[in-house]
Amino acid sequence: MVALSVEELTRYAREHDCSDLHITAKQAPTFRRLGQLTIGPFIGSEDDYRQLILSMLNNRQKEQLELGNDLDFSFEDSEQNRYRVNVYRAQNHLAAAIRMLRDDIPTLEDLKLPPVLQTLASEPRGLILVTGPTGSGKSTTLAAMIDYINVRRAAHIITIEDPIEYVHPHKRCLVHQRELHRDVASFADALRSAMREDPDVILVGEMRDYETISAAVTAAETGHLVLSTLHTTGAAQTIDRIVDVYPSHSQGMIRSQLSGILRGIITQTLIPLADNSGRTAATEILVGTDGVLAQIREGKFHQLASAMQSGGAIGMHTLAGDLSGLVKRGFITMQDAENAVSDKEEFLQYMNLR
């Protein structure tokens, strides 16, 4: 049996336009293409798959793995193709999830994202959030927004990522990219340090805990443009998630803080195109208008959907509204839209079926 190599598998993944590769015990390497999992044409033993995973690790990472820790890191092959890797244990067997990273940084136009994202990226300060489930393209959208800034502003950009996915060259901006566990211990630590590093724009890979959210809010309050992500599926849920992280006696304060700094929330999900030629992003966009910010300050999150429905002139829309437009233009199927939408009643109203 010919020994498998990680490069052989990742080459196959790239040639077949796959987004992810999974290596696990007692199962042939599995690939995700257009959102669907398929088993690849590779055969190996359980020990082969274990050795494949270990071949990507350095000694320090192997030590961390032996201590029972999961690993997140970036990996580069001999052709300088880059990957995001998570190594973990399942039923005491090693497994790895490998995300293919693009060599180039797509533009907002390449991604066919709404023009309002250019407007948001042009904001001099405040908080912009890109949200959605895992694998919905949040990191790619943020990379495109950072590149938009990099081309148009003379600014200092600091990114804090786990791990670094897109490498940004210096264009008009000075760009420093920091990776967790290599350059800094945590998002919160890096944000606190950033305040002494003269940044204009700060990208936080994920607002995953109270310390990070609090530090990001403070950075936005002190005159910086802060961009980050959350794993939420709508604008109202995003605000809810942030507020709920705070103790009850501080929730009024964080609502007030958000009403002063929020510039926009972009929620997105990737939907297969009707002709199976790829996927497209369906989005929900909330812009921090005076009315929206007043609703947030007063805790009236349930009214945000109405604000998005009536705010089309400035680029706002709900996910249901965007999905219905994609169906009507023939880009996606009705079934895929219904599978993705969170408010089916609203979607059917947009489709004139209610």
Side-chain angles (χ1 to χ4, degrees):
M1 182 184 297
V2 178
L4 296 176
S5 71
V6 172
E7 292 209 10
E8 183 181 0
L9 298 179
T10 54
R11 187 179 303 114
Y12 176 90
R14 286 186 175 275
E15 289 173 353
H16 290 81
D17 198 27
C18 300
S19 62
D20 298 86
L21 160 64
H22 294 270
I23 304 172
T24 191
K26 301 178 182 178
Q27 170 73 46
T30 303
F31 300 82
R32 187 179 294 277
R33 183 177 182 275
L34 301 181
Q36 301 299 312
L37 288 176
T38 57
I39 296 174
F42 299 93
I43 299 173
S45 67
E46 185 176 329
D47 189 61
D48 288 332
Y49 301 144
R50 175 182 170 81
Q51 293 306 319
L52 279 176
I53 294 169
L54 292 176
S55 71
M56 294 183 286
L57 309 183
N58 58 34
N59 289 334
R60 184 185 64 81
Q61 289 166 333
K62 290 176 182 176
E63 290 172 4
Q64 289 297 311
L65 195 62
E66 288 301 316
L67 292 173
N69 296 320
D70 293 349
L71 302 175
D72 278 302
F73 59 95
S74 55
F75 173 76
E76 189 172 287
D77 65 22
S78 61
E79 298 175 356
Q80 283 73 58
N81 297 310
R82 299 181 64 255
Y83 309 91
R84 186 185 76 193
V85 184
N86 178 272
V87 176
Y88 57 102
R89 290 184 184 276
Q91 294 181 300
N92 205 34
H93 295 288
L94 287 185
I98 303 174
R99 170 67 53 85
M100 311 295 129
L101 301 180
R102 290 178 57 155
D103 301 325
D104 61 317
I105 300 172
T107 65
L108 293 170
E109 293 90 344
D110 292 337
L111 299 174
K112 297 181 173 59
L113 290 167
V116 68
L117 268 69
Q118 298 180 4
T119 304
L120 291 173
S122 301
E123 290 281 353
R125 64 191 64 84
L127 178 66
I128 298 170
L129 301 172
V130 179
T131 80
T134 299
S136 60
K138 299 185 295 295
S139 296
T140 302
T141 295
L142 280 175
M145 294 180 79
I146 290 294
D147 188 64
Y148 184 88
I149 297 168
N150 198 4
V151 169
R152 289 164 178 80
R153 285 181 64 181
H156 182 199
I157 299 172
I158 294 177
T159 77
I160 310 158
E161 302 171 74
D162 183 23
I164 291 169
E165 296 194 25
Y166 290 88
V167 176
H168 292 272
H170 305 297
K171 294 181 180 177
R172 285 197 69 196
C173 290
L174 175 66
V175 186
H176 286 114
Q177 296 185 258
R178 309 189 72 192
E179 184 167 297
L180 251 62
H181 312 304
R182 187 182 69 180
D183 301 314
V184 69
S186 70
F187 284 124
D189 286 347
L191 274 164
R192 283 189 284 268
S193 294
M195 294 299 94
R196 299 186 294 273
E197 292 158 5
D198 187 35
D200 299 290
V201 179
I202 304 170
L203 168 66
V204 186
E206 185 182 346
M207 298 210 310
R208 59 175 60 157
D209 53 39
Y210 170 79
E211 289 75 16
T212 304
I213 292 172
S214 178
V217 167
T218 298
E221 283 185 314
T222 51
H224 307 89
L225 180 63
V226 179
L227 301 94
S228 190
T229 72
L230 281 92
H231 287 95
T232 48
T233 55
Q237 188 193 41
T238 300
I239 301 297
D240 243 338
R241 175 75 58 84
I242 293 172
V243 171
D244 282 349
V245 164
Y246 283 73
S248 57
H249 67 272
S250 299
Q251 291 183 355
M253 179 193 69
I254 183 58
R255 290 200 308 270
S256 178
Q257 288 177 298
L258 287 173
S259 71
I261 61 173
L262 185 69
R263 297 295 175 264
I265 299 174
I266 304 108
T267 299
Q268 64 182 59
T269 186
L270 295 177
I271 311 293
L273 291 169
D275 62 4
N276 292 317
S277 63
R279 292 189 292 174
T280 189
T283 58
E284 175 168 287
I285 296 179
L286 179 76
V287 176
T289 63
D290 290 344
V292 163
L293 297 177
Q295 290 171 352
I296 292 171
R297 185 168 52 251
E298 295 163 11
K300 298 177 179 178
F301 306 153
H302 62 283
Q303 296 181 4
L304 294 176
S306 296
M308 288 184 283
Q309 290 165 357
S310 60
I314 57 170
M316 286 200 274
H317 57 252
T318 62
L319 181 61
D322 197 37
L323 286 166
S324 68
L326 291 169
V327 172
K328 290 176 179 178
R329 297 197 300 276
F331 290 133
I332 64 174
T333 67
M334 183 76 172
Q335 183 62 58
D336 284 334
E338 288 184 332
N339 290 341
V341 74
S342 52
D343 189 335
K344 190 171 181 179
E345 190 67 26
E346 181 193 357
F347 172 73
L348 293 175
Q349 289 175 352
Y350 274 112
M351 295 300 297
N352 299 318
L353 296 174
R354 280 285 184 275

